[in-house]
Amino acid sequence: MVDFFGIGNNTKPSGAATLVSALSQASVANNLLTAARARRNSSLQPPRLPNQGRLDSQVREATRQVQAYSKLKTRQSSAVKTITKATDRLGEIKTLLLEAREFIVKADRATTTVADQKLFANQFDQLIGKINLKAKSAGRNFVNLIGGSARDVFTAQDLDVQTRPGSQATTTYAGKFLGSDYSITDGSANLFLPNLFGSAVVQFPPPDPDDIGTLLQDDDTVVYDPATGAVSLTRNGAGTPFLAGTLEKKGLGVLHTYFYGDFQDPTLRATALSDVTDALQSLRSNISLFEAKQTRAEVALEFTEKTINENRDTVGRIEGQKFKAEQTFLLEQQKSELIFQQAFALSAGTGAGGVLLLEQGALFDSGAQQTQGGLFDFKV
């Protein structure tokens, strides 16, 4: 049998085998050292940016600004919505006033019958009621910029909004009562108010909670002096007024039609038309003022939103730099770990090869001769 590798007779490694084994062990040691260095490097902490302290301070300040301005944004956004609602209601009131003026124009036509004049007067009073409803319901978050907070209150509320975070300074958006109402104060200083559509006058506060006031009748005699405000209301055939005192206009100053003779008196119709025209002029002016307030509030809100976005961008930019550094560090860790694994695997593989060479050392210093079968028989 041919001993191809000479293993059976190899009891002592040759000089060449010893050299190979030494080189193999040196390679093992070098690879293990490389692996150790890789493993040691992989345990390092992420490196800090050169100006990390300053950047961290910027992040904290920018975050604080975002939080503070976000709270301010909530209040400013609410203010914009409140002013916008009031402005929109003024536009609706203007539409109702224009419609009311058309009823006066129709009643003033020569072909209009008395019955139609009374009908137009009733429709006019309905519109005055709707105008007051618009003003009354224009509030938001308990702030009404164009309506009163109670039936006998004819002053609107102001809206105060903080100018900037941490400041006591505020921006005030002044309100103005823009319903179309009035009150009558009698000689005993009792206050009387009309109901919504002008069909009755009610003492306020009412002496009896169930009292609906004094209903007005078509044949009542109403005497009103716009110059002095003196007014008296007398039942047909009665010698004494059931209500006499001083009338004070509130808001737009358009009255119910029993002060305009139910549109049947040409002079009083002219007074009604003049009152409505003045009210429209006042309303247009106030709409412009409220639109300016709305624009001012929107600009303040936009500035706050811009400030928030700028600070968020600052935080995002710095955090992005930190994230990039951390990702770079993680990649270096992965690279170091890979080097370790490869070095360890290579070390183990080289060691195995060294052992194999030690067992096969005879391969490098044996003589060979051809046998009968054409095979080689190596001799030590």
Side-chain angles (χ1 to χ4, degrees):
M1 179 176 180
V2 179
D3 186 0
F4 184 81
F5 292 105
I7 295 176
N9 297 322
N10 188 11
T11 59
K12 181 180 180 181
S14 67
T18 302
L19 176 61
V20 171
S21 176
L23 291 175
S24 175
Q25 292 174 4
S27 177
V28 169
N30 182 65
N31 289 335
L32 288 176
L33 179 61
T34 301
R37 287 173 178 173
R39 175 57 62 89
R40 181 187 63 193
N41 291 336
S42 67
S43 64
L44 297 176
Q45 295 296 322
R48 288 173 60 84
L49 297 175
N51 54 349
Q52 187 64 56
R54 181 175 61 82
L55 294 177
D56 289 342
S57 177
Q58 289 181 357
V59 168
R60 288 192 297 270
E61 176 60 20
T63 301
R64 187 187 68 81
Q65 290 288 330
V66 169
Q67 294 172 346
Y69 274 95
S70 293
K71 294 179 180 178
L72 179 61
K73 176 185 174 182
T74 300
R75 293 188 287 269
Q76 289 178 330
S77 178
S78 178
V80 168
K81 293 176 182 178
T82 299
I83 299 172
T84 300
K85 185 175 182 179
T87 304
D88 291 344
R89 288 299 171 86
L90 289 179
E92 296 169 5
I93 290 174
K94 177 185 174 182
T95 299
L96 293 172
L97 269 180
L98 290 171
E99 188 178 347
R101 186 177 64 177
E102 287 301 311
F103 287 130
I104 301 174
V105 173
K106 292 178 180 179
D108 198 44
R109 293 171 182 166
T111 57
T112 303
T113 64
V114 172
D116 286 340
Q117 288 174 335
K118 289 183 177 180
L119 176 62
F120 293 147
N122 180 64
Q123 292 173 324
F124 182 96
D125 288 338
Q126 297 296 310
L127 291 176
I128 297 302
K130 291 180 180 180
I131 287 172
N132 287 319
L133 282 176
K134 293 288 185 183
K136 182 180 180 181
S137 60
R140 184 180 180 277
N141 290 343
F142 307 105
V143 177
N144 192 335
L145 294 171
I146 64 172
S149 58
R151 181 64 188 92
D152 62 334
V153 175
F154 302 102
T155 55
Q157 297 162 293
D158 296 337
L159 178 61
D160 294 326
V161 183
Q162 188 178 15
T163 302
R164 59 183 182 275
S167 173
Q168 297 298 323
T170 59
T171 299
T172 299
Y173 300 97
K176 185 176 182 180
F177 181 78
L178 290 170
S180 190
D181 215 334
Y182 54 91
S183 65
I184 299 175
T185 305
D186 67 9
S188 301
N190 294 314
L191 180 68
F192 292 84
L193 302 173
N195 66 1
L196 189 62
F197 299 107
S199 60
V201 288
V202 183
Q203 185 175 345
F204 199 91
D208 182 354
D210 297 327
D211 185 11
I212 63 173
T214 303
L215 293 175
L216 301 178
Q217 301 176 3
D218 292 340
D219 57 356
D220 287 341
T221 300
V222 179
V223 179
Y224 169 58
D225 183 358
T228 63
V231 64
S232 64
L233 290 79
T234 307
R235 294 294 191 198
N236 184 29
T240 303
F242 66 84
L243 178 60
T246 302
L247 184 146
E248 184 179 359
K249 292 182 177 180
K250 307 291 185 180
L252 296 175
V254 179
L255 305 174
H256 289 112
T257 55
Y258 53 82
F259 292 105
Y260 303 130
D262 291 329
F263 290 166
Q264 297 172 41
D265 185 306
T267 302
L268 295 179
R269 281 200 304 271
T271 300
L273 184 60
S274 176
D275 286 351
V276 172
T277 300
D278 291 344
L280 282 169
Q281 182 177 352
S282 173
L283 193 58
R284 291 188 182 98
S285 176
N286 279 286
I287 288 175
S288 296
L289 291 175
F290 271 84
E291 287 175 342
K293 294 173 186 177
Q294 180 178 334
T295 299
R296 183 181 180 185
E298 290 171 344
V299 169
L301 177 60
E302 290 173 1
F303 175 79
T304 296
E305 291 175 338
K306 181 180 178 181
T307 302
I308 292 173
N309 291 334
E310 287 176 350
N311 281 279
R312 281 177 175 168
D313 289 343
T314 298
V315 173
R317 175 175 53 81
I318 296 175
E319 293 295 341
Q321 293 176 1
K322 290 178 62 178
F323 178 78
K324 181 179 179 181
E326 290 172 357
Q327 290 301 304
T328 301
F329 169 73
L330 290 176
L331 290 175
E332 290 297 328
Q333 278 191 319
Q334 293 174 1
K335 179 180 177 181
S336 298
E337 183 66 20
L338 181 61
I339 292 174
F340 174 80
Q341 293 176 359
Q342 290 177 339
F344 184 81
L346 182 61
S347 299
T350 304
V355 173
L356 181 62
L357 290 174
L358 287 173
E359 293 294 332
Q360 300 173 359
L363 183 65
F364 293 93
D365 63 345
S366 59
Q369 63 180 6
Q370 187 174 6
T371 63
Q372 252 184 345
L375 298 177
F376 292 94
D377 183 22
F378 292 89
K379 292 170 52 181
V380 180

